[in-house]
Amino acid sequence: MPLIDPVTMASTDQASVKSQSVELLPTDLARIFTNVHPVLLLSAYYLRFPALIADPITTLLQSLPILVVLQIAYATLCLPPTGSGTSSKPSKKSKLGVKKADTSPSKAITVFFALILSVFSVPVLAGLQVLFGAPITTHIPQTLLSSSHLALLGVFPLAYVHGSDGSKWREILSVYSPIDEVFGGSLGCFLGAWLGAVPIPLDWDREWQKWPITIVTGAYAGYAVGKLAGTWLLKGKRIEFD
Amino acid sequence: MVPTPVPKPAPGNYNSIAAQYARAKAAKDADDKKKVDGILRENGILERTGKPRHVAERLNEFKAGRFTKDWGWVVGFFVWMLFIHISGIYFFTKGFLLTRLVLDSKSTCAEPPISISKPFKGAGTPEGGCWHPKTFDKAVVIIIDALRYDFTVPFNNISQVGASNPMPAQAYHNSIPFLYDTAIAEPHNAFLLPFIADPPTTTLQRLKGLTTGTLPTFIDAGSNFAGEAIKEDNLLQQLRDAGRKIVHLGDDTWTALFPGYFEEGISKAYDSLNVWDLHTVDTGVTEHILPLLASQRKDEWDVMFAHFLGVDHAGHRYGPNHPAMTMKLQQMNGLMQEIVQNLDDNTLLVVMGDHGMDGKGDHGGESDDEVQAALWMYSKKGIFGRTDPSFVTPPQNAKIRPVNQIDLVPTLALSLGLPIPFNNLGRPIEEAFVGKKGNAWDNLAGVSRMAAAGIKRYQAAYYDAQGINESTIDGSPHDLWGKAEGALISGNGKEQMLRGVYTNFSAFQEETLRICRDLWARFDVPSMILGISILAAGVVALVFHANDNAEADTTEEDIDLEMKERDLELKAISDGKPELLYEENASRSAVKGAIIGTAVGVAAVLVPWGLVGGGSMMDFAVGGGSIGGLVAVLFTKLKTRLRFSNPLPRTVWGWLAAIFTISQSIGFASNSYTIWEDSILLFFITTFGLAAAISSIRIEKHSDRVLAIYHSAAFVALGWIASSSKLCREEQMPWCRSTYYASANSSTSAPWQLLILFIVAAALPSIIKSYYVSSRNYEGFAPVWISWAFRTGLILCAIFWTIDAADDSEWFTGFSSATLKTLRTPIAQTIFAVSIGAGSLAFGSAPPCVSISSSAAPTPGSQITSSSGATVTILGFANTHGSRYFLLVVNVLLAILMVQKPMGAGAIALMSWQILSLLEILDLNTLTSSPIGPVVLALLGSFHFFKTGHQATLSSIQWESAFIPLHTIRYPWSPLLVALNSFGAQILAVSAVPLVALWKQKPRKKGILQSVAAALAWHALYYAVVGLATTMWAGHLRRHLMLYRIFCPKFMTAAAVLVIVDVVGLLVALMGVRWNTISIGEVFGWR
């Protein structure tokens, strides 16, 4: 492991040490589906919205399989699975035609792994929501379901792309990863969910103010915005705190 | 440095202990000094330049003097800021808090406002009845303070079965059934009605309303602690003018309002504010009232006012749902029965509550529970009637057929044959005038016409006095008057017609009352705008000032540069030109600008004041001074600012601080965000904790990273645990469950909550100790202070509250309440004496929490230096400033913990732990010069304000905290104690603000005063922005339905917090920094 301080290593050769943003699979299908994917997500969400207001628990539960399918499709069609060489350490060679290393795990295994990681992140996300002020004695199914949606949107693609790379995950958790459509989508998803809390206290007495509708809505909208921004606007940028 | 001479032992006393000690101490001092010098010299901080020593000494002295002067400028700036804040709040309040013109006119017996429609014998004389035939010769008016309407109506579960949420009977239900039962059994002798108070529902304002018949205005609300005589026309004045003898018993607010009105000798006033005492007043009144009712003493009085306080005090102390309340109500029930038995036929008996109480037994606001009191009138004459037979049953709840409290004034006045007081806006209560059969419409029409005419006359006089043409007022009730009068003239006395007349006059009264409510909500908008502008300009000045001080402190430490600087300094001193060493600093230029500007401003406005010749000179001077000072300071700041960048945040942290402050301030424009402020603060605090954790993961050094993540997690977790302490305001229901007290209808703590205090006593000192130990600062006074004095104080505090709970719940039947009070008061006094008195003295003289030793083994976390071959260790060197200053915070903490209820003490303890974690987070993430630290401290202060059982409402003030160390109200201590209880969290937060700059700072750190000034300015900025925003919103939403329920209390809370934070920042934070820096400077030399 190179012992270089990532904060102060401006003088060293950045490209060789710093992680790079994720590139899409170099196929037309990937380029098309990555644009279709947020449209599908948002329109599915829009269609289910009346049902979500009427019965959040059932709707969130029923839409989970759809979300799983959409996310798996997006990941397998568009994203390089972990270990395929395009995610963390890109080299000229891989771009020059060496298709896929035989040593990398199959897409199915990666999908399975990413799903497992997403499931494990659900209680963590639910715990975070409680720390932010979500009810702890009531509304437990709602909180768990909203966490599941957050996990599938925000954690699953990252897990698919980055696998169990510890240093990469440290970068992701410290929000220092270079922005790309995967990381941007995740960031947008969580920021959106955070902003989704804003309308809850208002005394408008609207059904859609019910827990956790605004959070999930914010997450979906934020995911789409973040993904777009990660693809076009902010690609490769890093968030500096100071 | 001059070597310390070793004192020679006193002759002839060679082996005395004192001499030995002196020698040993001198030797040790010299030794210590040498060690320190050695270390400092090795570090290159002390002179090696070969300059004569006395120059260095002089430089040191000069620097000590320079610190004191600079400190003076910093203080000067914050004093000026305090003045600006007070001035802004003053001008806004002057225009915002409603004022009403008090008219001196009096009603007279011989001059009714309109000719009497149906002449009667003796009209126009007090004997026969001034404006209406006198019905009663005598009256007994009994006020059962805080008698809520639902206390008096029967409650049974069977009738509630249909309700979705059946509630069991509470302690306050069915305990005073006499009033209701009599109203049903003897409808001609008695009636019971809901009696709606006009807010503010404090006793003083209520008594004004109940005797003058007019609406109180908000400006009165603050004067509950010290009443003032009523100058307006009122019932008591009319009684006195008519030669009636008035007796008063009970609450001494009456004697403050009506000095000299009452018969001496037989009247008896009792202290009204000792809310811990449930019985003295009631027993006293009972003792005196019954003998006076006896027939042989009938001549001694005509009208009697008896004011019982037990129910109110039981509410304040325990909340309504407590056995003490049941007992109190039952006692009142029995007493009323007894009074009725002793009543003669010509005496009218009125029993009423002056206001209700909320779920915790407090009052002051305008929630339903606070305004819904009960009114019961009784006489043996049998003249009461109902306009509808079904009205015999008193209303099931206070929403049905309520009467206004001011309606009592014309009712009493006409019944006793007196003129209605000039300012009255109420209307006669129909039950008292409609006659036994419920068909005396002519009488009812007559009295309502008389009252309406009085109102009309008053209105005309009021408009006249204000110079307003009445007809220009929108929706003038003139039409209604014309209609009513017309109906009377054209009619021929038929019941139907008279009924119509009565309805029309009542409509006129209602409409006029509505208009008056609006009219007295007439705001002085220019004054409000002036106040807002001053506050806004103050915010801008504070932003600039904070930035200036923060920028001054960003210079990197460079040992070579420091050496060169040091040489120059020494040269300047030896050349005798110390003036070269003065550096221009932000505070000095700002204060100079403020002084000049204020002087010019005051001078400039005095000219127009002289020309206009009106208005208060004080107002003009304060306004001119504020504007002049602000203009000058902003000018100074902008001039220097050209050299620097713009004041907008430049980092994620700066933006986060700005977003927290600004988004919350915008939110206060919405009643929802104001109501849910506590949840929003938790959201922000968790957000900061999460951001801190994210930032901490970026830390490269493994041990630091782990620590920083741990502290971030602890910070969030502690805040979340504290959030479980809740005291819900009415508007939060039903989505909130109060946990602060034993139950939602109680204001006493549950027994298990006492456990919190003992846990705090056991754990908190150890937690603080762990933060000292980690930086090797558990040295000097720290062990005695934290683990001994502080812990003892906490144990005593726990004992105090245990005795208090024992008193509340009567655990020890062997001890009387008085004994328990005598037992616990000295405990509280001791804690205050230790924390404030002895603690401050000790803080002034405490050495730094470091230990200087020559231990050979190198110890991590300490400063190790070799001096001439010897290894010297200063334990705790790295946190010299912070660890010593925190001792002051411990003192403040103890004083605050003492005045909090057990749940609140738990919250404050968690808060102090959060502060320590925050300081570590800031240090590990190098955020000590960022605004985020002071702003998060302000968030913590605001958050824990709610967690210590408060809300931005008047009724959540825990008045009883005034009695914790005292037996009676004593100025100025009682208000100070209530402030310490209410704003304890904010006071603790601002006391800890200097730590943002001081924590983990070694001695002789450069620019420490600027860092403190910046931190304090950022901190004050949060409150100033919130204060400005709530002021603006209250002004903007002045016609909003929720103004008095939500926006006005929030504005008042924010304004009070702003001033308190400014004052504590000066008195505790800056004074503490002065002592701290001087003490450290004396040991380690000045920088």
Side-chain angles (χ1 to χ4, degrees):
Chain A
M1 236 192 97
L3 288 170
I4 295 166
D5 186 52
V7 182
T8 56
M9 65 182 179
S11 58
T12 61
D13 184 7
Q14 293 193 11
S16 65
V17 182
K18 268 195 176 174
S19 61
Q20 294 290 300
S21 47
V22 174
E23 299 292 339
L24 280 187
L25 288 177
T27 62
D28 287 339
L29 185 61
R31 275 189 282 276
I32 293 166
F33 191 75
T34 192
N35 290 317
V36 174
H37 171 242
V39 177
L40 280 177
L41 274 181
L42 287 186
S43 39
Y45 189 77
Y46 179 77
L47 286 175
R48 297 296 289 157
F49 195 66
L52 180 65
I53 290 169
D55 185 357
I57 298 182
T58 316
T59 314
L60 284 175
L61 193 62
Q62 284 173 353
S63 49
L64 268 183
I66 308 169
L67 181 60
V68 170
V69 170
L70 275 175
Q71 290 299 84
I72 291 176
Y74 164 63
T76 49
L77 291 179
C78 307
L79 299 177
T82 177
S84 66
T86 39
S87 64
S88 54
K89 280 167 195 164
S91 59
K92 292 279 176 196
K93 272 182 190 168
S94 67
K95 273 187 181 172
L96 286 173
V98 179
K99 281 289 170 186
K100 199 172 127 189
D102 292 329
T103 50
S104 65
S106 75
K107 283 186 176 182
I109 291 174
T110 314
V111 164
F112 180 72
F113 168 80
L115 279 175
I116 294 290
L117 203 69
S118 307
V119 169
F120 279 126
S121 70
V122 168
V124 177
L125 292 170
L128 268 179
Q129 291 183 62
V130 168
L131 286 175
F132 271 102
I136 188 173
T137 48
T138 59
H139 297 79
I140 294 166
Q142 282 96 326
T143 309
L144 285 175
L145 282 167
S146 76
S147 307
S148 311
H149 279 252
L150 280 171
L152 281 168
L153 286 173
V155 179
F156 175 79
L158 282 172
Y160 181 80
V161 174
H162 299 300
S164 57
D165 181 349
S167 61
K168 183 68 205 175
W169 275 102
R170 200 188 129 199
E171 219 177 53
I172 290 168
L173 288 177
S174 65
V175 199
Y176 194 62
S177 185
I179 293 178
D180 49 52
E181 66 167 83
V182 177
F183 188 59
S186 298
L187 264 188
C189 166
F190 291 117
L191 266 180
W194 185 83
L195 282 172
V198 171
I200 296 176
L202 288 168
D203 60 350
W204 296 345
D205 291 331
R206 300 299 160 92
E207 279 296 297
W208 55 260
Q209 286 177 298
K210 269 194 301 205
W211 181 256
I213 297 172
T214 54
I215 303 291
V216 181
T217 310
Y220 273 82
Y223 178 73
V225 171
K227 197 179 157 195
L228 278 178
T231 317
W232 305 106
L233 208 61
L234 302 169
K235 177 130 187 174
K237 294 214 168 89
R238 285 174 195 265
I239 295 171
E240 297 286 355
F241 275 15
D242 297 309
Chain B
M1 302 236 171
V2 183
T4 319
V6 179
K8 290 204 171 83
N13 205 1
Y14 217 78
N15 286 321
S16 76
I17 295 168
Q20 279 180 346
Y21 175 75
R23 258 191 309 165
K25 187 174 182 301
K28 188 175 181 310
D29 281 355
D31 204 31
D32 277 358
K33 196 151 197 165
K34 239 185 273 169
K35 283 177 200 161
V36 173
D37 286 355
I39 290 158
L40 299 177
R41 192 172 291 115
E42 288 297 314
N43 272 356
I45 313 173
L46 207 62
E47 84 282 357
R48 322 181 280 211
T49 48
K51 295 268 177 209
R53 273 197 170 139
H54 66 275
V55 178
E57 194 88 327
R58 264 161 53 202
L59 179 60
N60 210 38
E61 272 167 26
F62 165 78
K63 285 184 169 180
R66 188 175 65 180
F67 168 79
T68 321
K69 281 197 190 105
D70 285 351
W71 180 84
W73 292 116
V74 171
V75 166
F77 180 82
F78 283 99
V79 168
W80 176 72
M81 209 64 232
L82 173 64
F83 165 72
I84 290 298
H85 289 154
I86 290 175
S87 159
I89 292 165
Y90 167 74
F91 281 109
F92 179 81
T93 311
K94 196 160 94 65
F96 176 70
L97 288 187
L98 311 173
T99 45
R100 182 171 54 87
L101 211 60
V102 174
L103 299 181
D104 293 333
S105 313
K106 308 257 180 288
S107 295
T108 52
C109 194
E111 297 167 34
I114 196 166
S115 60
I116 297 162
S117 50
K118 200 170 121 190
F120 56 92
K121 189 170 163 254
T125 63
E127 292 71 36
C130 291
W131 303 352
H132 177 264
K134 180 162 121 182
T135 330
F136 296 100
D137 294 329
K138 298 164 95 76
V140 177
V141 179
I142 292 175
I143 291 156
I144 300 176
D145 208 290
L147 181 68
R148 202 164 77 188
Y149 185 68
D150 63 341
F151 294 180
T152 61
V153 287
F155 178 95
N156 52 43
N157 274 326
I158 300 130
S159 69
Q160 306 284 320
V161 164
S164 58
N165 200 2
M167 183 179 74
Q170 308 281 305
Y172 49 80
H173 282 129
N174 303 330
S175 299
I176 182 161
F178 178 66
L179 311 181
Y180 184 90
D181 295 346
T182 331
I184 299 235
E186 310 166 39
H188 301 312
N189 286 345
F191 62 85
L192 174 66
L193 286 173
F195 197 40
I196 307 300
D198 290 296
T201 46
T202 44
T203 297
L204 180 98
Q205 275 69 41
R206 289 294 74 239
L207 294 187
K208 281 188 177 179
L210 283 166
T211 52
T212 61
T214 188
L215 303 173
T217 42
F218 214 84
I219 200 93
D220 298 338
S223 44
N224 203 0
F225 264 112
E228 43 187 333
I230 295 183
K231 296 185 190 77
E232 283 175 291
D233 193 8
N234 60 67
L235 270 182
L236 277 86
Q237 191 157 22
Q238 292 295 346
L239 283 167
R240 195 171 62 165
D241 290 353
R244 313 278 171 91
K245 293 183 202 135
I246 316 171
V247 170
H248 161 255
L249 301 168
D251 189 336
D252 64 355
T253 314
W254 286 88
T255 44
L257 289 172
F258 303 101
Y261 278 63
F262 305 116
E263 294 295 304
E264 282 181 30
I266 47 176
S267 293
K268 194 94 182 112
Y270 297 87
D271 180 20
S272 59
L273 291 168
N274 192 351
V275 293
W276 295 84
D277 181 351
L278 267 54
H279 301 296
T280 307
V281 181
D282 292 2
T283 318
V285 176
T286 313
E287 250 168 38
H288 289 89
I289 195 169
L290 292 169
L292 282 173
L293 291 172
S295 52
Q296 63 272 22
R297 296 187 66 180
K298 284 278 148 80
D299 298 337
E300 292 180 30
W301 59 277
D302 292 306
V303 177
M304 183 148 51
F305 291 93
H307 196 139
F308 293 94
L309 287 170
V311 172
D312 180 56
H313 287 186
H316 281 302
R317 187 168 167 186
Y318 302 108
N321 193 17
H322 189 278
M325 181 62 80
T326 316
M327 206 191 69
K328 236 29 251 193
L329 289 171
Q330 283 167 350
Q331 180 194 352
M332 288 296 125
N333 196 53
L335 191 61
M336 292 311 122
Q337 274 171 308
E338 214 171 327
I339 289 171
V340 162
Q341 279 161 16
N342 289 303
L343 209 64
D344 68 12
D345 291 351
N346 272 327
T347 306
L348 172 67
L349 174 62
V350 183
V351 176
M352 62 185 163
D354 57 343
H355 49 72
M357 59 174 73
D358 67 8
K360 309 186 308 320
D362 297 324
H363 55 87
E366 56 173 328
S367 68
D368 283 351
D369 278 345
E370 287 165 277
V371 300
Q372 293 170 347
L375 170 71
W376 183 73
M377 286 176 67
Y378 179 89
S379 91
K380 291 185 173 164
K381 266 192 171 172
I383 58 152
F384 297 145
R386 309 289 190 280
T387 52
D388 186 309
S390 68
F391 289 175
V392 167
T393 313
Q396 261 307 303
N397 63 57
K399 296 286 179 203
I400 307 164
R401 293 193 291 124
V403 296
N404 281 316
Q405 293 208 339
I406 49 174
D407 295 346
L408 183 72
V409 173
T411 309
L412 266 186
L414 296 174
S415 299
L416 295 173
L418 298 169
I420 302 173
F422 191 83
N423 303 315
N424 166 60
L425 291 172
R427 69 161 186 243
I429 296 168
E430 62 181 26
E431 275 80 354
F433 296 99
V434 76
K436 205 169 176 173
K437 291 180 183 150
N439 60 0
W441 290 103
D442 56 338
N443 190 37
L444 204 52
V447 290
S448 69
R449 174 171 167 268
M450 188 56 78
I455 293 169
K456 189 163 176 286
R457 182 176 69 172
Y458 169 64
Q459 282 302 292
Y462 191 85
Y463 288 126
D464 200 39
Q466 280 212 316
I468 302 171
N469 185 352
E470 196 181 344
S471 55
T472 59
I473 305 290
D474 286 342
S476 163
H478 262 272
D479 297 347
L480 288 167
W481 174 264
K483 219 163 118 191
E485 192 70 335
L488 187 68
I489 292 161
S490 64
N492 53 7
K494 276 190 191 144
E495 186 187 311
Q496 199 64 29
M497 183 277 297
L498 287 167
R499 232 176 149 141
V501 172
Y502 168 64
T503 320
N504 279 324
F505 279 121
S506 299
F508 169 79
Q509 181 267 346
E510 253 170 55
E511 180 63 13
T512 314
L513 191 60
R514 191 191 65 72
I515 288 174
C516 286
R517 287 214 168 103
D518 271 6
L519 188 72
W520 289 326
R522 176 161 293 207
F523 302 93
D524 181 356
V525 177
S527 180
M528 285 160 64
I529 290 176
L530 176 63
I532 291 173
S533 310
I534 290 173
L535 286 176
V539 164
V540 176
L542 207 48
V543 172
F544 284 143
H545 190 66
N547 271 294
D548 286 351
N549 277 299
E551 278 160 6
D553 127 87
T554 46
T555 41
E556 291 289 319
E557 296 206 11
D558 179 344
I559 214 112
D560 285 341
L561 204 70
E562 278 184 27
M563 289 305 304
K564 288 207 182 85
E565 221 178 281
R566 174 96 190 157
D567 286 349
L568 286 175
E569 285 171 354
L570 287 169
K571 188 167 180 307
I573 292 285
S574 60
D575 292 352
K577 292 177 191 161
E579 66 275 5
L580 291 176
L581 300 181
Y582 280 111
E583 293 159 11
E584 193 55 34
N585 68 50
S587 296
R588 180 162 47 179
S589 58
V591 172
K592 280 181 176 166
I595 292 171
I596 296 166
T598 309
V600 172
V602 171
V605 293
L606 287 182
V607 178
W609 174 75
L611 291 178
V612 174
S616 136
M617 186 172 110
M618 193 62 195
D619 285 0
F620 269 85
V622 170
S626 305
I627 295 168
L630 282 165
V631 169
V633 169
L634 289 178
F635 178 73
T636 320
K637 292 284 180 197
L638 284 174
K639 213 173 64 182
T640 53
R641 188 127 287 277
L642 296 175
R643 298 199 308 256
F644 295 108
S645 49
N646 67 8
L648 288 177
R650 283 179 298 277
T651 67
V652 167
W653 296 109
W655 278 111
L656 205 56
I659 289 169
F660 287 156
T661 310
I662 294 167
S663 66
Q664 213 196 350
S665 297
I666 294 171
F668 286 129
S670 141
N671 43 6
S672 315
Y673 290 126
T674 311
I675 292 166
W676 292 100
E677 191 186 344
D678 56 337
S679 303
I680 291 161
L681 286 164
L682 174 68
F683 189 75
F684 283 167
I685 286 170
T686 305
T687 304
F688 168 77
L690 190 64
I694 289 170
S695 167
S696 301
I697 299 173
R698 296 184 175 192
I699 297 175
E700 202 49 28
K701 196 177 160 199
H702 181 260
S703 58
D704 281 358
R705 181 166 72 232
V706 171
L707 261 183
I709 295 172
Y710 158 73
H711 285 303
S712 307
F715 180 84
V716 171
L718 294 170
W720 185 80
I721 295 169
S723 78
S724 61
S725 162
K726 278 185 194 147
L727 183 97
C728 308
R729 60 189 287 167
E730 199 201 4
E731 293 84 358
Q732 288 181 322
M733 306 315 271
W735 299 283
C736 176
R737 205 169 60 85
S738 288
T739 55
Y740 194 72
Y741 294 117
S743 78
N745 281 325
S746 158
S747 61
T748 49
S749 301
W752 70 265
Q753 288 171 332
L754 289 173
L755 207 60
I756 296 174
L757 291 172
F758 289 96
I759 294 170
V760 166
L764 190 56
S766 309
I767 290 162
I768 295 174
K769 179 183 163 184
S770 75
Y771 282 82
Y772 272 70
V773 168
S774 69
S775 60
R776 309 271 165 185
N777 283 103
Y778 199 60
E779 305 289 345
F781 278 18
V784 178
W785 204 301
I786 293 165
S787 295
W788 196 83
F790 184 51
R791 178 165 275 143
T792 311
L794 292 176
I795 293 170
L796 284 175
C797 180
I799 293 171
F800 173 94
W801 286 102
T802 310
I803 298 175
D804 180 73
D807 186 5
D808 285 351
S809 322
E810 288 168 4
W811 290 342
F812 311 140
T813 39
F815 294 94
S816 75
S817 194
T819 317
L820 291 172
K821 176 81 184 160
T822 328
L823 213 60
R824 66 178 185 258
T825 314
I827 297 180
Q829 286 168 346
T830 309
I831 290 179
F832 281 109
V834 168
S835 64
I836 295 171
S840 303
L841 283 176
F843 180 74
S845 57
C849 303
V850 295
S851 162
I852 300 164
S853 67
S854 45
S855 79
T859 330
S862 57
Q863 182 79 16
I864 303 143
T865 324
S866 71
S867 172
S868 53
T871 302
V872 177
T873 310
I874 303 181
L875 290 173
F877 189 75
N879 193 11
T880 313
H881 274 290
S883 59
R884 191 186 177 285
Y885 183 86
F886 194 82
L887 298 178
L888 181 63
V889 177
V890 170
N891 293 344
V892 176
L893 182 60
L894 182 59
I896 293 170
L897 283 170
M898 180 63 242
V899 292
Q900 302 298 337
K901 305 267 169 75
M903 203 70 168
I908 290 286
L910 291 171
M911 176 181 170
S912 56
W913 191 354
Q914 273 188 298
I915 289 175
L916 285 165
S917 275
L918 174 67
L919 295 171
E920 295 289 341
I921 292 170
L922 296 177
D923 174 57
L924 290 164
N925 286 291
T926 54
L927 290 172
T928 48
S929 56
S930 165
I932 192 73
V935 168
V936 170
L937 273 176
L939 291 179
L940 282 180
S942 311
F943 175 65
H944 288 277
F945 166 77
F946 295 97
K947 300 304 133 196
T948 48
H950 300 96
Q951 284 287 351
T953 57
L954 281 178
S955 61
S956 76
I957 298 173
Q958 297 168 16
W959 295 109
E960 62 276 19
S961 52
F963 298 97
I964 287 170
L966 299 171
H967 289 277
T968 54
I969 296 271
R970 274 171 64 190
Y971 293 95
W973 308 116
S974 302
L976 283 178
L977 285 162
V978 174
L980 193 63
N981 167 283
S982 301
F983 304 114
Q986 285 100 334
I987 290 171
L988 181 62
V990 65
S991 305
V993 163
L995 288 169
V996 172
L998 299 179
W999 196 251
K1000 296 284 169 78
Q1001 296 301 349
K1002 46 184 188 284
R1004 298 166 64 98
K1005 155 94 174 131
K1006 201 183 173 192
I1008 209 144
L1009 193 59
Q1010 274 89 341
S1011 308
V1012 170
L1016 194 57
W1018 293 124
H1019 188 75
L1021 196 54
Y1022 170 86
Y1023 293 110
V1025 171
V1026 169
L1028 170 67
T1030 52
T1031 310
M1032 274 163 50
W1033 304 140
H1036 179 66
L1037 300 166
R1038 59 190 180 275
R1039 304 282 179 199
H1040 194 282
L1041 190 65
M1042 291 290 170
L1043 179 70
Y1044 286 126
R1045 255 176 130 130
I1046 292 173
F1047 298 110
C1048 189
K1050 179 62 215 174
F1051 149 68
M1052 293 197 296
T1053 314
V1057 169
L1058 179 57
V1059 172
I1060 285 174
V1061 164
D1062 281 349
V1063 170
V1064 177
L1066 283 165
L1067 291 184
V1068 178
L1070 287 180
M1071 282 306 285
V1073 168
R1074 184 194 161 109
W1075 284 341
N1076 203 52
T1077 316
I1078 288 178
S1079 154
I1080 289 167
E1082 276 167 0
V1083 175
F1084 290 97
W1086 290 86
R1087 173 77 181 91

